[in-house]
Amino acid sequence: MPRPDLVRFLLRRIGELLATLLVASFLVHASIRLAPGRPETFLLGGRGASPQALEAIRSHYHLDDPFLVQYGKWLGGVVTGDLGTSVQYRSDVVDLVASRMPVTLALIGMAAFLVIAGGLLLGLTGAVRGRRTDQAVLITTSVAVATPSFIAAILLLSLFSVRLGWFPVLGSGDGFLDTLHHLVLPAVALALPFVGVLARVTRASLLEQFAQDHVTVARSRGVPERTVVRRHVLRGALGTVVTQAGLALSGLMVCTILVESAFGLGGLGEFLAKSVTVKDFPVVQAISLLTIALFVLVNLAVDLVHPLIDPRVRLGTRSSE
């Protein structure tokens, strides 16, 4: 039987998720509709059109309807799984998004692995090793944090693709191994600043745990240092690290726009950037809403995992009592 507090927490978070998506969908819809430029201008491609043809285009995309009517029709379509038709490609938005999603998910998956593995390793190394190693970790993570993903993308492309020729310049590749080869540099560029942030949070959290009384008592009793780190230090610090890792994963989704555009991967991020420029509002609305939904779901997962790691934390509080 599920715990009553867990059921209440899940129901509350699902309600928050739906409210967040509703508000976000309204803001996205409003920002696109109020932005300068008209979709029919792109559709006509600069060519002249008869008043009848222009009226047909505006009628098809409900451009002459009042704002709230347009929003209501779009929201009704979302509820039934209909995200509309792309202005640019004249195809179903669901199919266009689904065809580009695997590349973006693979990129985020590789980057998330680098963030978690690199952040934990650097943070742990800085906390448990000597002063010189700790200083080296601090310098390395400072450089990583200060290097935005799009700057890292340019530097990596210039060195490893153009100069050395080790990795392809553009594209997402064909087949599993070729795709991995194409995604190495984009994943590194995407992960770099988040690795630095997670490493610094991990290091600070571990050092805080090292200063706790129960760690001092364990050491005074002759408990081996590795056991102290594994049982007392890592367990106490893991809650903070998991929360930061969740925030990093959410940030990766947003930063894919710049990285995918720099490497020409053809994923959702690059598709969103191109759709914004041509005012393809059905695509922009769909990808924006999907990104927000994933962001909220990641935070929900963190809230569920955190109390399992740290019993002092109640569901949904993320803070120790």
Side-chain angles (χ1 to χ4, degrees):
M1 291 288 292
R3 291 164 43 192
D5 58 340
L6 177 60
V7 174
R8 286 195 298 272
F9 170 75
L10 287 176
L11 291 176
R12 188 176 77 246
R13 291 309 305 267
I14 291 173
E16 292 174 358
L17 168 65
L18 295 176
T20 301
L21 290 178
L22 184 63
V23 173
S25 67
F26 182 83
L27 294 176
V28 169
H29 187 84
S31 61
I32 294 174
R33 298 289 176 172
L34 296 177
R38 297 185 300 176
E40 60 266 35
T41 303
F42 172 80
L43 284 169
L44 295 174
R47 302 185 302 271
S50 65
Q52 293 78 11
L54 191 60
E55 182 180 354
I57 292 174
R58 297 188 64 82
S59 175
H60 179 75
Y61 289 99
H62 310 293
L63 300 177
D64 290 326
D65 290 340
F67 171 76
L68 290 179
V69 174
Q70 292 182 36
Y71 174 69
K73 289 181 178 178
W74 174 72
L75 190 61
V78 171
V79 173
T80 59
D82 180 12
L83 298 178
T85 303
S86 167
V87 173
Q88 183 179 10
Y89 295 96
R90 320 284 179 88
S91 300
D92 194 280
V93 173
V94 173
D95 295 334
L96 292 172
V97 170
S99 66
R100 289 162 173 78
M101 189 176 290
V103 173
T104 299
L105 292 180
L107 174 63
I108 292 177
M110 289 181 65
F113 173 78
L114 294 175
V115 169
I116 294 173
L120 291 180
L121 182 61
L122 283 173
L124 183 62
T125 302
V128 303
R129 294 293 182 179
R131 185 176 179 181
R132 290 186 177 180
T133 303
D134 190 27
Q135 289 179 337
V137 168
L138 285 175
I139 294 173
T140 302
T141 54
S142 296
V143 173
V145 172
T147 307
S149 291
F150 69 94
I151 296 294
I154 295 173
L155 295 176
L156 291 172
L157 274 172
S158 301
L159 178 59
F160 294 103
S161 296
V162 177
R163 184 175 293 275
L164 298 177
W166 292 354
F167 295 95
V169 178
L170 297 172
S172 56
D174 297 319
F176 180 72
L177 293 179
D178 193 37
T179 299
L180 287 181
H181 188 209
H182 279 74
L183 293 182
V184 168
L185 291 186
V188 172
L190 183 60
L192 188 62
F194 298 99
V195 169
V197 172
L198 184 60
R200 294 179 78 90
V201 170
T202 301
R203 173 187 173 275
S205 184
L206 291 175
L207 291 177
E208 181 182 352
Q209 292 299 317
F210 272 120
Q212 297 294 318
D213 292 339
H214 67 279
V215 175
T216 304
V217 171
R219 281 173 163 170
S220 66
R221 289 178 178 176
V223 177
E225 188 66 15
R226 288 188 176 183
T227 304
V228 171
V229 172
R230 187 176 67 254
R231 291 185 178 178
H232 300 281
V233 177
L234 283 179
R235 181 175 297 178
L238 203 53
T240 303
V241 174
V242 168
T243 300
Q244 185 59 46
L247 294 174
L249 182 57
S250 303
L252 291 177
M253 300 173 191
V254 178
C255 292
T256 55
I257 297 175
L258 297 173
V259 173
E260 286 188 4
S261 299
F263 288 91
L265 297 180
L268 286 180
E270 184 182 5
F271 190 33
L272 175 61
K274 290 181 177 178
S275 299
V276 169
T277 60
V278 298
K279 205 172 171 60
D280 194 348
F281 56 88
V283 173
V284 176
Q285 290 175 152
I287 298 178
S288 300
L289 200 61
L290 179 63
T291 303
I292 294 169
L294 292 175
F295 186 92
V296 177
L297 288 175
V298 168
N299 280 277
L300 173 61
V302 171
D303 281 345
L304 290 173
V305 170
H306 204 165
L308 300 177
I309 298 172
D310 189 349
R312 298 170 301 171
V313 177
R314 292 179 301 177
L315 281 172
T317 61
R318 291 193 191 180
S319 60
S320 304
E321 290 183 338

